[in-house]
Amino acid sequence: MRFGEMVIILFIIALALATSWGPKSKKSRLIYSLIALYVVTVAQIIVEECRWQMIPCYAASVILTVCIIFRKHEKKTSQ
């Protein structure tokens, strides 16, 4: 496995965990993380070339994007 591919996989795992268990009010940070993920992915494809084994990771990036975009905000209630 190449270095760029490992970085992408670790990035996807961290972003998936942050999406699942992170606070619901920090959507902007997740969007910036998605942008960084896509920059790293494009750089990896340009430098190391695309491999068919990475297709599930590219699909996971798209699924994470959909999950983050359609994520609902948690409203804070004051008592």
Side-chain angles (χ1 to χ4, degrees), residues 19-71:
T19 302
S20 299
W21 289 299
K24 302 266 185 203
S25 61
K26 302 295 181 189
K27 187 174 179 178
S28 62
R29 287 185 185 174
L30 292 175
I31 291 176
Y32 291 133
S33 297
L34 271 177
I35 292 169
L37 172 64
Y38 282 115
V39 168
V40 169
T41 302
V42 169
Q44 185 268 332
I45 290 172
I46 291 171
V47 173
E48 297 178 348
E49 296 183 359
C50 184
R51 296 189 332 151
W52 69 269
Q53 292 92 341
M54 290 295 291
I55 290 174
C57 289
Y58 303 145
S61 299
V62 173
I63 292 169
L64 274 172
T65 303
V66 171
C67 289
I68 290 171
I69 288 175
F70 293 112
R71 186 176 195 197

